[in-house]
Amino acid sequence: MRGLILGCILLGLVLSMGCVDQIFPQEQPPPEEPAPEVPNPAAENCADNGYGYKIETGASGEYGVCTYQGEECDEWDLYRGDCCFRDSDCRCSAGETAECENNECSCIAPEPEENETEPEPGPEPEPEPEEAAPGHTNKTVGELVDYGLANVNSEFYSEHPSGNFQIETYTWVIGSRDIKPNELPVGGTGDVAIRFNGDKDPNMKGFGFKSYIPMENGEPVEDSLVESRAVGVFSSQFPMIHIYETNGMTLKIDYYPTGKTLYGCVIEDKEEYLAEDDSHVMLYYFYCVDTGPLVTS
């Protein structure tokens, strides 16, 4: 009899525990929200003006094209006002009249009124000092990348006179061999290997960076940030990266050749040169807070 009573008691406890689980279910953690995507300002400009948009594939990879009534403009040319569909696409100064004809912009200054009297001329302002014209360079893309990396390495150690770091160096040049910045790449170029906030710059010719891994007792310091300094060579005075510089945007740089991602990057400086044919060559310098494996999402 005592065993029967004890069995009934145990059965009652088991059943009551099941009821508690049903009345008080365990809370599930909320789903993680995906990281917000950084918009492409040139593509947004195309959509905001009511134009069509499509992706084309060229020698340097994919690029965006805005379309309107059978006409086409590169998305970044339209964004800068170098190509137009309508007068409103032109970037003219205040008071000037914008005209778009054959996809080219003209900015017309206003004519003075007939009865308008000109003011008495005042004292002539002192002339502003002229900016020095950019110098010519005979360096190849690879030589410019090496030159820039030597500069960032000196800057890093001037800022970190003490400390033990392991340095990893990565370089990339478009094409199968080194070329001058104004030359076309040789051999298969494939897809553009560097992306800035997911975007590819068709004017990029070379890129390199140095990662500085903090070390202690011969081992990397656990959970420490890996700072990187990077340089990029562009065959244009106003490459796509100029938009990010103007807007002061922070960049995530994806480096596909060895599967690395540079985080929290900002443009610190740039140097302007002229190639042998007087075309513009830009050397950009980047500072990046951390470095890790390639993350494309």
Side-chain angles (χ1 to χ4, degrees):
M1 178 62 70
R2 182 179 300 174
L4 179 60
I5 294 174
L6 181 59
C8 291
I9 293 173
L10 292 175
L11 179 61
L13 288 174
V14 171
L15 293 176
S16 63
M17 289 176 65
C19 293
V20 170
D21 287 341
Q22 295 180 2
I23 297 174
F24 302 102
Q26 294 183 353
E27 295 184 358
Q28 298 296 322
E32 294 184 0
E33 296 183 359
E37 294 185 0
V38 178
N40 177 347
E44 285 190 338
N45 175 65
C46 181
D48 291 343
N49 285 283
Y51 301 143
Y53 185 79
K54 63 181 180 178
I55 299 295
E56 297 282 2
T57 302
S60 298
E62 295 181 344
Y63 59 95
V65 175
C66 300
T67 61
Y68 180 69
Q69 295 184 351
E71 299 178 338
E72 296 183 352
C73 280
D74 179 90
E75 60 176 342
W76 290 105
D77 288 344
L78 182 69
Y79 187 87
R80 293 189 295 261
D82 295 336
C83 185
C84 61
F85 299 125
R86 298 178 297 195
D87 295 346
S88 57
D89 297 329
C90 301
R91 311 292 188 188
C92 295
S93 302
E96 294 181 332
T97 301
E99 290 188 0
C100 176
E101 186 174 356
N102 297 325
N103 300 122
E104 294 185 358
C105 285
S106 299
C107 296
I108 304 172
E111 296 182 0
E113 297 182 4
E114 292 184 1
N115 297 328
E116 184 178 348
T117 58
E118 297 183 359
E120 291 291 331
E124 294 185 1
E126 295 184 3
E128 297 182 358
E130 295 183 359
E131 293 185 5
H136 283 79
T137 179
N138 292 322
K139 289 184 172 68
T140 65
V141 174
E143 289 170 342
L144 284 170
V145 170
D146 291 341
Y147 161 79
L149 290 178
N151 289 340
V152 299
N153 194 58
S154 298
E155 180 181 356
F156 176 84
Y157 278 105
S158 67
E159 297 174 2
H160 303 80
S162 61
N164 185 18
F165 299 92
Q166 176 181 314
I167 305 175
E168 294 182 352
T169 304
Y170 303 89
T171 59
W172 168 84
V173 173
I174 192 169
S176 59
R177 67 173 178 84
D178 200 7
I179 57 173
K180 298 289 182 68
N182 60 311
E183 295 176 342
L184 294 175
V186 177
T189 61
D191 198 5
V192 175
I194 318 298
R195 301 196 182 190
F196 302 92
N197 287 347
D199 294 327
K200 297 173 288 186
D201 193 326
N203 296 301
M204 166 155 278
K205 292 298 183 71
F207 187 85
F209 67 97
K210 287 181 176 289
S211 296
Y212 299 88
I213 305 172
M215 304 291 288
E216 186 175 356
N217 298 325
E219 296 292 335
V221 178
E222 188 175 355
D223 297 330
S224 63
L225 296 177
V226 178
E227 182 179 321
S228 285
R229 306 291 177 98
V231 295
V233 179
F234 301 86
S235 59
S236 171
Q237 187 178 13
F238 299 106
M240 181 199 72
I241 198 71
H242 175 73
I243 304 298
Y244 296 115
E245 177 190 17
T246 303
N247 296 329
M249 297 176 64
T250 300
L251 300 170
K252 179 174 80 75
I253 303 177
D254 295 322
Y255 184 82
Y256 281 81
T258 55
K260 295 286 186 180
T261 292
L262 312 182
Y263 297 95
C265 301
V266 294
I267 298 172
E268 283 201 317
D269 200 2
K270 63 183 178 183
E271 297 176 5
E272 182 177 358
Y273 300 96
L274 294 177
E276 294 175 346
D277 61 354
D278 288 337
S279 61
H280 287 269
V281 180
M282 301 299 296
L283 179 63
Y284 274 80
Y285 292 86
F286 305 87
Y287 165 80
C288 302
V289 175
D290 196 13
T291 310
L294 180 65
V295 177
T296 59
S297 58

